[in-house]
Amino acid sequence: MQKFDAIIIGAGQGGVPLAKKLAKAGWKTAIIEKRWIGGTCINDGCTPTKAMIACAEVAYTVANSRQWGITVPAYQVDFEKIVARKNEIVSSFRGGATKGLEKTDGLSIFYGTASFSGPKTIDIKLRTGNTETISAGQVFINTGASPKIPDLPGLAQVPYLTNTTVLDLQVLPSHLIVLGGSYIGLEFGQLFRRLGTQVTIIERSNLLNREDDDVSAAMKKIMEGAGITVHTGATVKQVEAHGDVVRVVLNTHGESKTITGSHLLLASGRVAQTKELHVENAGITLDEKGFIPVNDQLETSVAGIYALGDVKGGPAFTHISYNDHLILLKNLLHKEQATTSGRPVPYCVFTDPQLGRIGLTEKDAREKGLEIQVACLDMTKVARAIETGHTDGFMKAVVEKGSGKILGAAILGHNGGEIMSVLQIAMMAGMTAQQLREMIFAHPLYTESLNNLFMTITD
């Protein structure tokens, strides 16, 4: 049995840099990956989806070019080329990440499925069919999450797509039915609609149900304005397959409806990839949803075993996984006391327009009993949005009354994620709404309208 200083299970966006930096610090390190280097983000998450969304945005611009005074007589969507472009980008990113690991001294890569046989002992079922056992003083779990398959009557007999398998399509669906109205469902729904597919989105509550009601309502209006049929407050009663046709029977607001399409995409959440790990052999217990609980320094209930990224639950974002590895490095290599407590959790929904989010929602703030003021500015009043023809959405910020402290923001607009990032930095710097109202920004950027946003607050 080989012995290491550190074992990282899973080569995702936290595991890869952690393995490289521990090895460079002199730790004898092993990293185990059962699939591809790069994790969900590179292989079937951020990289491929955003590459395809970029193609769909071009299709939308061409199809609607007349509003900018440009007439395009005809255009054609080459879906095979879109998929090939996506695959080329994924291959490039994956290859770069793999080469980075391979050239790191002191780092061993094992391709196979890992499972605990003891507290810090790992059995690896290698792709070759052989099994190898390794151990280490420190173990880091970065196995991520996978698509959640809901328990729906008839689903077992219906061919369905997930956010992973939908990327393997070679032909555009004629009618894509999407179950789930969060960021995965919305991004894929709009993507395929812009490429010419009929799309229906079914959501049991509101779109982006963790957001404020005004954000949810605005997103629904944007989706419907794009020609997408949206059913909210809907409960799926039955799914059926009849040849090449998929039927979804649902109840919405007391009314029964049947939706017929060519393809069904499940976008109803994610589950932790812990089943094959057999963490009970290490003394680790899972929470009620199958995730691995950790403390604010990312350590599990077993000393010396840590979890980072999506497998631990909480915010499931690439940038959070990457930040997890930084916390671990600070504490293990530099003897600091870095924690996850109080760290900002920005995120962006890559619809068009984007939704950039940071901090508290208005709903969160009011539930906490905070005395707040809400700044709100429609994108139809943003000079840059008018000039570029992107006036859907609005800017919104939650401000603590009296102190002027910015508690959170939602920017639903073109380049909304970039505008949100400016507010994130301002929040971290302790800047007030008054300071941003008077800040000099270059004209005529979108960010300049932060002046006007905070002018909507009146004492």
Side-chain angles (χ1 to χ4, degrees):
M1 180 172 65
Q2 293 191 63
K3 293 186 177 181
F4 293 86
D5 297 315
I7 297 172
I8 293 93
I9 306 174
Q13 296 302 293
V16 167
L18 179 64
K20 291 167 65 176
K21 292 171 185 177
L22 288 177
K24 288 179 180 179
W27 291 35
K28 184 181 179 183
T29 305
I31 188 166
I32 307 166
E33 176 53 51
K34 74 172 184 178
R35 199 174 60 139
W36 300 306
I37 302 298
T40 296
C41 180
I42 285 179
N43 294 293
D44 41 29
C46 311
T47 298
T49 58
K50 278 49 179 182
M52 294 181 73
I53 285 170
C55 297
E57 185 175 356
V58 172
Y60 173 81
T61 301
V62 173
N64 294 273
S65 61
R66 288 188 180 183
Q67 67 176 290
W68 288 283
I70 309 296
T71 300
V72 179
Y75 74 97
Q76 182 177 346
V77 172
D78 187 341
F79 189 62
E80 288 187 9
K81 188 168 184 178
I82 289 171
V83 172
R85 175 182 179 272
K86 175 263 296 182
N87 289 341
E88 183 178 354
I89 294 171
V90 169
S91 179
S92 173
F93 284 22
R94 182 194 300 159
T98 303
K99 289 178 183 177
L101 289 176
E102 290 174 342
K103 69 180 183 181
T104 300
D105 292 336
L107 177 61
S108 300
I109 306 172
F110 295 89
Y111 290 100
T113 302
S115 62
F116 284 94
S117 57
K120 295 178 183 177
T121 304
I122 310 296
D123 290 337
I124 311 169
K125 186 177 180 181
L126 299 169
R127 291 180 185 174
T128 60
N130 296 328
T131 299
E132 185 153 355
T133 300
I134 61 176
S135 66
Q138 311 279 350
V139 178
F140 306 87
I141 304 171
N142 182 225
T143 51
S146 57
K148 180 180 180 180
I149 309 304
D151 184 14
L152 297 175
L155 185 62
Q157 287 73 48
V158 175
Y160 57 80
L161 300 166
T162 67
N163 68 289
T164 298
T165 59
V166 71
L167 296 169
D168 297 329
L169 288 176
Q170 297 299 312
V171 179
L172 276 172
S174 59
H175 183 179
L176 179 66
I177 302 173
V178 182
L179 299 188
S182 192
Y183 67 94
I184 292 176
L186 294 177
E187 288 181 4
F188 275 115
Q190 188 182 57
L191 156 65
F192 280 99
R193 181 71 193 104
R194 287 184 161 188
L195 296 180
T197 295
Q198 183 181 348
V199 175
T200 299
I201 295 176
I202 300 170
E203 167 57 43
R204 64 182 178 181
S205 54
N206 293 324
L207 300 185
L208 301 172
N209 67 333
R210 294 185 180 180
E211 306 298 336
D212 286 328
D213 290 344
D214 52 358
V215 173
S216 176
M219 183 62 79
K220 184 178 180 184
K221 183 179 179 181
I222 290 166
M223 292 294 112
E224 291 177 334
I228 297 172
T229 301
V230 180
H231 296 284
T232 54
T235 302
V236 175
K237 297 297 185 182
Q238 179 78 26
V239 290
E240 305 168 353
H242 300 276
D244 294 332
V245 174
V246 176
R247 296 177 64 205
V248 177
V249 181
L250 58 91
N251 184 286
T252 176
H253 306 294
E255 180 182 355
S256 180
K257 294 185 178 181
T258 299
I259 312 299
T260 301
S262 61
H263 294 72
L264 178 66
L265 171 62
L266 305 181
S268 53
R270 309 275 290 172
V271 294
Q273 295 196 108
T274 52
K275 185 177 180 179
E276 295 174 320
L277 285 174
H278 295 292
V279 296
E280 66 278 4
N281 293 334
I284 299 171
T285 56
L286 305 177
D287 68 15
E288 66 279 4
K289 293 184 178 180
F291 291 96
I292 299 176
V294 295
N295 62 21
D296 64 2
Q297 293 188 325
L298 303 171
E299 193 168 32
T300 69
S301 56
V302 178
I305 302 181
Y306 303 83
L308 64 161
D310 297 358
V311 73
K312 71 182 189 307
F317 303 116
T318 291
H319 44 282
I320 294 299
S321 181
Y322 187 84
N323 185 255
D324 286 347
H325 108 274
L326 292 177
I327 289 173
L328 290 168
L329 288 173
K330 288 177 181 180
N331 295 340
L332 294 171
L333 297 184
H334 306 295
K335 307 306 178 184
E336 297 182 25
Q337 293 296 317
T339 74
T340 59
S341 299
R343 67 178 171 182
V345 183
Y347 57 92
C348 185
V349 181
F350 287 87
T351 49
D352 184 12
Q354 295 174 1
L355 172 63
R357 275 279 295 111
I358 180 68
L360 298 179
T361 63
E362 178 184 355
K363 180 168 50 179
D364 291 336
R366 296 197 187 282
E367 287 177 354
K368 290 177 179 291
L370 300 176
E371 193 171 359
I372 62 171
Q373 294 173 300
V374 178
C376 200
L377 183 70
D378 199 87
M379 295 301 288
T380 58
K381 296 180 180 179
V382 174
R384 182 67 175 165
I386 296 169
E387 293 157 359
T388 59
H390 298 287
T391 54
D392 285 339
F394 62 95
M395 298 182 178
K396 179 179 182 179
V398 180
V399 177
E400 185 177 55
K401 191 172 183 178
S403 70
K405 180 181 179 181
I406 303 166
L407 303 176
I411 309 297
L412 179 59
H414 197 239
N415 291 324
E418 311 295 342
I419 304 166
M420 174 274 292
S421 296
V422 172
L423 286 172
Q424 177 188 346
I425 294 171
M427 290 166 64
M428 295 181 71
M431 297 181 69
T432 66
Q434 178 71 21
Q435 288 175 304
L436 285 173
R437 183 165 62 185
E438 298 174 354
M439 178 71 65
I440 298 174
F441 294 102
H443 176 76
L445 293 175
Y446 281 106
T447 310
E448 181 191 32
S449 286
L450 292 177
N451 294 151
N452 294 335
L453 171 63
F454 292 106
M455 284 180 188
T456 66
I457 294 179
T458 56
D459 295 329

